[in-house]
Amino acid sequence: MREHQTQVRKTAEDLMKTGKARLFIGYTEGLEAARPVAFFLKDPERAGALVLNEFCGAGLAKYVLDEAVSPDALSGEPLPPVAIVAKGCDALGLERLMADNRVPRDELYIIGIACHGIVDPGKVLEVTGEEPVSAQVEKDHVAVMTTRGSHRLAKAGCLMDKCLTCEDPTPRVYDVLLGDPVQEGPAGKRDFSGVTQVESLSPDERYEFWARQFQRCLRCFACRNVCPACNCSVCSLDEREPEWLSRSTDLPEQFMFHFTRAYHVAGRCVACGECQRACPVGIPLMLLNEKFMKDIRDLFGEPAPHRPSEVEPLGKFCPDDPEGWLKEAETA
Ligand code: SF4
Ligand code: SF4
Ligand code: SF4
């Protein structure tokens, strides 16, 4: 991925100088080498500050909600698009926003990145006891340079969780693609093994499992804020009249919050894994999202329910629906 950094800088500079983009959303260096942060480039002279490397994992899609507002509110003139760097998972998030009519396609210029996987610095630290500074994802392993030396690590042990189940490493939508298309995710396909494991528990054990997870929740809403499928203008969880969710963090309210979140994105979740990545206490939110994905796959015959389509699985009317109430409603 690092090999495309120069191209990203050049593309940003060209787009901004020629007026083809009014803003370029990418990454820049964070406080640590392995933790780049989002960067909003408005001055083409600063394109050299953009970075692209194997640690650029945070999804950028949700930022366009605040930025893609055209025509200009004051002049009424159409504005140039917002340019954004997008790996496969980020592009799914952009598709979600477009499918939900939150961002028009022509307000975006998407610099697609064919992705081989992103390294999780926390995992490297856990495995090696050392802070990573650079990494290269190879076919069957990851070569990581740390502050003290080099390591050859298994992909499963150091890539971000979302990369281990990635099915769309190449963006499905883009204006320009950097790198050759990558056909398979870095560690094979999603197999729902985590969901199957939880499903095999008894109802009491399942309750205990989720109660243990949810009682750690800080209700910081990072999972919601980063989620491209959570894109309502006003979130009902923020409303005070009526107050759908109290400020209390007792267990019933925690269950209420988490089920509300999971049901809200059911059939619309793009499996970008951002909610789980952003969670400061490591709640395995993807298990809930994947449970819905698995059920939609099995019950509705949707082979890839995370890919936005014109008609979402839970929005289809089908006369052969196994639930009898549809026919009853028709004949009533
Ligand atoms: S989920 Fe896929 S596209 Fe996203 S960073 Fe991981 S490998 Fe790349
Ligand atoms: S619920 Fe999580 S995985 Fe699904 S779209 Fe939202 S952030 Fe991505
Ligand atoms: S990000 Fe984690 S801690 Fe914060 S509200 Fe979501 S689940 Fe709770």
Side-chain angles (χ1 to χ4, degrees):
M1 188 166 295
R2 187 179 294 270
E3 66 273 18
H4 303 308
Q5 181 171 281
T6 310
Q7 248 176 312
V8 165
R9 290 175 177 174
K10 175 90 176 65
T11 306
E13 194 179 352
D14 289 349
L15 287 172
M16 305 288 287
K17 276 191 172 161
T18 54
K20 289 187 183 144
R22 68 174 187 280
L23 171 72
F24 191 99
I25 306 179
Y27 300 92
T28 195
E29 275 180 16
L31 289 177
E32 293 157 33
R35 289 178 170 81
V37 295
F39 186 50
F40 297 77
L41 178 80
K42 290 187 176 163
D43 174 2
E45 301 303 326
R46 295 205 58 212
L50 285 161
V51 301
L52 188 72
N53 59 44
E54 280 67 16
F55 299 105
C56 293
L60 302 175
K62 192 76 180 279
Y63 289 120
V64 303
L65 258 196
D66 296 329
E67 303 296 342
V69 279
S70 186
D72 181 55
L74 289 177
S75 67
E77 294 296 317
L79 295 168
V82 169
I84 181 165
V85 170
K87 307 177 294 295
C89 50
D90 306 326
L92 283 166
L94 295 173
E95 279 191 71
R96 173 79 277 144
L97 293 170
M98 291 187 270
D100 290 352
N101 291 324
R102 297 291 277 127
V103 180
R105 176 68 182 92
D106 57 8
E107 285 198 21
L108 297 177
Y109 187 95
I110 303 171
I111 298 93
I113 309 288
C115 180
H116 294 276
I118 294 290
V119 175
D120 181 337
K123 287 189 180 178
V124 174
L125 184 62
E126 209 173 290
V127 174
T128 65
E130 299 163 21
E131 277 288 345
V133 288
S134 69
Q136 183 66 40
V137 181
E138 305 290 356
K139 196 168 176 355
D140 56 355
H141 71 281
V142 183
V144 180
M145 285 296 293
T146 66
T147 40
R148 294 205 210 127
S150 58
H151 300 268
R152 183 188 164 101
L153 303 179
K155 286 185 177 180
C158 70
L159 291 187
M160 292 180 76
D161 288 345
K162 64 179 177 180
C163 303
L164 303 179
T165 54
C166 175
E167 292 184 48
D168 301 280
T170 302
R172 290 165 14 109
V173 54
Y174 55 81
D175 294 287
V176 59
L177 180 69
L178 306 188
D180 295 330
V182 182
Q183 305 303 341
E184 282 189 6
K189 285 192 168 183
R190 179 173 293 111
D191 64 2
F192 297 106
S193 53
V195 177
T196 315
Q197 221 173 331
V198 177
E199 281 174 341
S200 71
L201 301 174
S202 70
D204 283 349
E205 289 169 332
R206 271 208 300 277
Y207 175 83
E208 283 304 319
F209 173 80
W210 284 114
R212 267 200 313 279
Q213 302 297 337
F214 295 158
Q215 66 196 8
R216 297 188 290 121
C217 175
L218 308 171
R219 207 79 76 67
C220 65
F221 289 155
C223 52
R224 175 202 65 174
N225 294 351
V226 79
C227 172
C230 271
N231 60 43
C232 301
S233 309
V234 178
C235 175
S236 63
L237 301 179
D238 289 333
E239 288 188 334
R240 285 292 143 266
E241 285 183 17
E243 189 178 54
W244 299 103
L245 183 76
S246 87
R247 299 291 93 178
S248 156
T249 51
D250 60 19
L251 204 48
E253 287 295 307
Q254 298 290 53
F255 269 94
M256 177 74 177
F257 164 56
H258 282 282
F259 288 160
T260 303
R261 190 205 65 81
Y263 271 96
H264 184 210
V265 299
R268 301 171 50 258
C269 168
V270 296
C272 65
E274 278 297 285
C275 46
Q276 185 162 308
R277 180 195 64 78
C279 178
V281 291
I283 296 177
L285 296 169
M286 283 308 291
L287 269 183
L288 274 181
N289 301 332
E290 286 195 344
K291 167 64 179 159
F292 280 103
M293 272 181 240
K294 180 170 174 284
D295 285 354
I296 290 169
R297 183 197 64 176
D298 296 344
L299 295 170
F300 293 79
E302 292 284 347
H306 68 289
R307 291 182 184 142
S309 57
E310 277 180 33
V311 183
E312 305 299 342
L314 299 184
K316 273 182 193 159
F317 171 79
C318 173
D320 303 326
D321 196 292
E323 285 287 348
W325 67 269
L326 270 179
K327 283 200 184 69
E328 285 159 25
E330 212 175 27
T331 52

